[in-house]
Amino acid sequence: MSDVARDGEALQGAELEARLHRTWSRAPGLWGWLTTVDHKDIGRRYIYTAMTLLILGGALAAAMRLQLATPESGLISAARYNQIFTMHGTTMMFLFAVPVMEAVAIYIIPLMVGTRNIAFPRLNAFSYWTYLFGALLLWVAFALNVGPDAGWFMYVPLSGPEFTPGKRTDIWAQMITFTEVAAIAVAVELIVTILKFRAPGMTIARMPLYVWSILVTSIMVVLSLPAVALASGMLLADRLIGTQFYNPFEHGDALLWQHLFWFFAHPEVYIIFLPAMGFVSQIVETFTQRPVFAYAALVLATVAIGLLSFGVWVHHMFATGLPRLGYDFYTAASMAVAVPSAIQIFCWIATMWLGRPRFAVPLLYVVAFIVTFVIGGLTGVMVASVPLDLQLHDSYFVVAHLHYVLIGGGVFPLLGALTYWFPKLTGRLLSEGLGKAAFWCVFLGFNAAFFPMHITGMLGMPRRVYTYPTGMGWDALNMMSSLMTGVIVIGGILFVTNVVLALRRPPDAGPNPWNAPGLEWAADSPPAPYNFEHIPVVSSHTPLWEEGPLNVMTGLRVDDREQVVTTAIEAQPDIRYPSPEPTLWPLLSAVALAALFIGSIFTPWAVVIGAVPLAVGFTVWFWPKNAPDGEPVIE
Ligand code: HEM
Ligand SMILES: [Cu+2]
């Protein structure tokens, strides 16, 4: 085996780095950009795309608040408002919130578990392109005035062939298919990366909490997203080829849509929220400089939330008329979710209490999260009770509740995490002063804009309306919400300015500017294409806080993209595995898939004809190379 180069005694330092660079770097120029399978390239790209969609969705929110600032406003017509409203919810839920959480995981998880690339890196590239094409489909349609307009929840019969003719709803349903394919692919990659690519010694009980939260989230994605993909596929079939799944006059069932939709969309809230809980745990640890309080309780709470969240979807359907027993069961289950959530909050507060908290920007976002999320959780428990829900249903109270949990539970921790990991993403630290200014605008602006909606709702203002009559006592509250949305916008502009200014400075953050405990901080900032010179060996869930230098293993090939695969529970080195090389085929396959999906909105024949180029793409992509298949690890 003398022709094979391995890291070890004989191969160290600059020579080793140069060899690894040669093996793991992507090709130069545009070709390299299109063919890369590096999880960091794709993760960064995914994050930028999702954040762009947050800005676009936010711009639509601002437009809605402009229209709602005054009663009987004629600024935006009812038809246009419906489109803006649908695009806002759809963009936020399908194109921003779920993708951004997966995007951060694509970038961070391989680093955090101490490996060189994500599992199935070509699938990862394919998933990014598929997601991008889905987002483009929706937004190009909106720009051409054929955007969907029946709400992000697309209830039948409104969205059915009878009441929404034209292509708007078909475009929405097919965009769902794109994003589901992408999201499920990423979830599979993350599950395998976490279970099989962990650094030796990182037993399952030593996984950082963020890794736990992504493992649970990814399993939830695999179990829940097929429901909405199935539902939207059936909607397309009803609309395009005359099936009657949702048509009660032909023995279909209109409520079937709501069941399938919410069987996905309630877990979706936790698919957004659990990764955010992972951010919070990492940030709390680093900024109090102590391991998180009650690690085991936090892990169990994470798993419990994942399980319980599959048993509560019917709380979105209390007003549809259910059997009494259904009311009781789903009320009890919904309230039960509050228990593990409260345990988590208790553990974070205890960590801060016992440590020396330093209130840098990421920790400020955590505090904002705790305050906001507790309010959102409490209004959640309120609407879980059927009599109250029947009163508050379809009012602005629900709009306040849902934004408190989504923004408080998702966006605040995300902004904290992006600030925290910014050095790892770009090699630079964000400015503390600008970061704090942005934080206070976003946090105070959010509460000032959304808290009044609780009251507007209790005064009876219905949600999902483009305007309202004057003299109902809603005018001042709406004006307040709209003005304060301006403060959130200023906060967003400050955040972006901070990013842009930081990117113009030279990268000088160093590997571990926060003295953080996770393995991702053992890599350079930003990491080299191969992540780590030697694969680290771990003996606790906070490896960088252990005494002495980090232990490493040697003996991996450096002239080939070799990764070490470990056992799922104990993380013992098991086999060597060659990680796939860069290639254009994931992109070409995604183009073929996009042609098939978009074509099938217009003719069912597109499925048949479009399958041919897709089959070609997949065949070349998967063509077996004579790579060795999983040699056992020597030593
Ligand atoms: C700048 C911040 C935001 C503002 C000012 C805002 C404002 C609004 C407004 C005015 C509506 C229409 C309410 C109605 O008529 O029912 C709405 C709906 C919605 N928003 Fe936001 N939003 C913001 C951010 C977000 C984020 C970050 C998410 C998700 C991650 C989100 C998810 C939704 C959803 C799902 C709906 C549809 C609600 C329904 O079904 O009635 N929003 N938002
Ligand atoms: Cu729910």
Side-chain angles (χ1 to χ4, degrees):
M1 282 228 172
S2 55
D3 55 331
V4 173
R6 300 179 183 281
D7 69 331
E9 295 283 307
L11 192 52
Q12 291 283 3
E15 168 67 11
L16 173 61
E17 282 178 29
R19 295 263 206 129
L20 283 169
H21 254 291
R22 217 175 305 143
T23 306
W24 286 89
S25 293
R26 71 183 204 207
L30 178 66
W31 179 254
W33 196 85
L34 293 173
T35 55
T36 180
V37 293
D38 183 334
H39 75 100
K40 298 179 291 302
D41 290 335
I42 293 166
R44 199 181 289 118
R45 188 173 291 180
Y46 233 120
I47 294 173
Y48 280 129
T49 310
M51 292 308 282
T52 305
L53 283 150
L54 169 65
I55 293 171
L56 291 173
L60 296 177
M64 285 192 287
R65 280 313 329 170
L66 223 52
Q67 160 71 13
L68 295 171
T70 51
E72 287 156 33
S73 163
L75 208 58
I76 299 176
S77 71
R80 166 115 351 224
Y81 186 93
N82 284 349
Q83 274 188 63
I84 294 179
F85 165 78
T86 305
M87 287 293 292
H88 168 73
T90 303
T91 300
M92 289 300 192
M93 299 304 278
F94 292 102
L95 300 177
F96 157 66
V98 174
V100 83
M101 293 302 173
E102 293 198 326
V104 175
I106 290 172
Y107 193 95
I108 294 293
I109 287 289
L111 289 163
M112 208 178 227
V113 303
T115 187
R116 295 207 201 279
N117 203 353
I118 198 165
F120 315 128
R122 292 182 172 184
L123 185 64
N124 196 27
F126 173 76
S127 112
Y128 172 74
W129 298 117
T130 307
Y131 159 64
L132 180 68
F133 295 148
L136 285 173
L137 167 67
L138 189 74
W139 274 82
V140 169
F142 178 62
L144 298 176
N145 194 20
V146 283
D149 61 356
W152 80 282
F153 36 81
M154 277 301 151
Y155 282 176
V156 293
L158 175 62
S159 62
E162 197 178 335
F163 296 104
T164 316
K167 289 292 169 206
R168 294 179 186 277
T169 298
D170 305 306
I171 287 168
W172 181 91
Q174 206 57 304
M175 181 280 305
I176 294 294
T177 322
F178 275 97
T179 52
E180 306 311 278
V181 168
I184 293 172
V186 175
V188 170
E189 297 152 18
L190 289 170
I191 293 172
V192 175
T193 307
I194 292 172
L195 291 182
K196 297 304 291 176
F197 284 5
R198 295 202 308 280
M202 190 184 279
T203 62
I204 204 131
R206 288 181 192 151
M207 295 196 319
L209 284 157
Y210 178 60
V211 178
W212 268 111
S213 71
I214 292 298
L215 179 62
V216 174
T217 305
S218 303
I219 294 172
M220 292 176 67
V221 167
V222 171
L223 295 179
S224 69
L225 267 64
V228 71
L230 174 70
S232 65
M234 283 156 52
L235 179 62
L236 273 176
D238 271 13
R239 295 177 53 88
L240 297 176
I241 55 175
T243 56
Q244 310 287 343
F245 290 114
Y246 302 120
N247 181 1
F249 299 108
E250 298 288 342
H251 304 288
D253 186 347
L255 273 188
L256 176 61
W257 170 268
Q258 292 198 29
H259 279 293
L260 288 172
F261 185 83
W262 289 112
F263 184 79
F264 147 77
H266 185 87
E268 181 187 21
V269 178
Y270 290 87
I271 288 166
I272 296 163
F273 164 65
L274 282 179
M277 305 300 92
F279 299 155
V280 170
S281 294
Q282 299 309 130
I283 292 172
V284 165
E285 256 178 359
T286 296
F287 290 91
T288 56
Q289 292 285 304
R290 56 155 288 149
V292 78
F293 177 81
Y295 171 90
L298 276 166
V299 170
L300 291 176
T302 305
V303 176
I305 291 177
L307 286 173
L308 284 172
S309 69
F310 278 97
V312 303
W313 80 93
V314 175
H315 65 208
H316 296 272
M317 300 167 59
F318 283 153
T320 57
L322 293 169
R324 252 314 290 277
L325 192 64
Y327 281 161
D328 298 344
F329 177 83
Y330 288 100
T331 294
S334 304
M335 291 185 175
V337 183
V339 176
S341 306
I343 290 175
Q344 289 185 311
I345 299 221
F346 171 78
C347 293
W348 293 316
I349 294 177
T351 314
M352 288 196 245
W353 194 269
L354 299 169
R356 285 168 277 114
R358 185 168 82 76
F359 287 94
V361 175
L363 196 59
L364 287 178
Y365 276 110
V366 167
V367 175
F369 147 76
I370 292 179
V371 173
T372 315
F373 190 71
V374 165
I375 299 176
L378 288 176
T379 54
V381 173
M382 287 167 73
V383 288
S385 131
V386 176
L388 201 60
D389 185 63
L390 293 179
Q391 283 301 311
L392 294 170
H393 183 76
D394 259 340
S395 77
Y396 256 81
F397 189 88
V398 178
V399 179
H401 159 71
L402 80 94
H403 286 88
Y404 263 78
V405 276
L406 287 169
I407 295 183
V411 177
F412 288 173
L414 174 73
L415 296 180
L418 290 178
T419 309
Y420 174 56
W421 278 315
F422 196 76
K424 209 37 71 185
L425 281 156
T426 67
R428 296 141 174 108
L429 282 158
L430 287 170
S431 137
E432 188 83 11
L434 257 179
K436 282 192 173 150
F439 166 78
W440 286 110
C441 288
V442 170
F443 175 56
L444 295 179
F446 168 77
N447 278 285
F450 283 86
F451 197 84
M453 290 183 203
H454 293 111
I455 304 165
T456 337
M458 286 193 280
L459 292 176
M461 174 152 164
R463 82 203 252 216
R464 302 169 178 168
V465 291
Y466 87 106
T467 192
Y468 51 94
T470 187
M472 306 290 290
W474 306 337
D475 301 10
L477 290 163
N478 271 302
M479 180 52 90
M480 170 83 176
S481 292
S482 293
L483 284 176
M484 291 302 130
T485 298
V487 180
I488 311 178
V489 172
I490 294 171
I493 293 173
L494 288 174
F495 195 96
V496 174
T497 310
N498 200 358
V499 170
V500 173
L501 290 180
L503 289 178
R504 292 170 52 157
R505 290 195 296 270
D508 58 357
N512 191 359
W514 313 113
N515 189 29
L519 278 184
E520 77 274 26
W521 300 102
D524 291 343
S525 300
Y530 46 86
N531 291 355
F532 303 95
E533 235 171 275
H534 303 288
I535 297 302
V537 176
V538 170
S539 56
S540 79
H541 94 268
T542 50
L544 296 200
W545 285 348
E546 301 305 307
E547 290 290 320
L550 192 63
N551 288 324
V552 296
M553 66 168 277
T554 55
L556 275 189
R557 284 179 67 163
V558 298
D559 51 359
D560 190 25
R561 299 188 161 214
E562 200 167 72
Q563 275 178 288
V564 50
V565 175
T566 50
T567 55
I569 307 293
E570 292 299 325
Q572 306 269 4
D574 190 4
I575 52 171
R576 306 159 182 285
Y577 192 77
S579 183
E581 303 280 334
T583 161
L584 194 62
W585 286 98
L587 170 55
L588 295 179
S589 305
V591 171
L593 185 74
L596 186 160
F597 280 174
I598 296 173
S600 63
I601 299 175
F602 300 96
T603 158
W605 285 106
V607 178
V608 181
I609 302 163
V612 178
L614 191 61
V616 173
F618 282 164
T619 308
V620 183
W621 170 356
F622 292 120
W623 198 260
K625 318 273 180 314
N626 38 10
D629 212 349
E631 284 177 60
V633 172
I634 322 168
E635 95 215 272

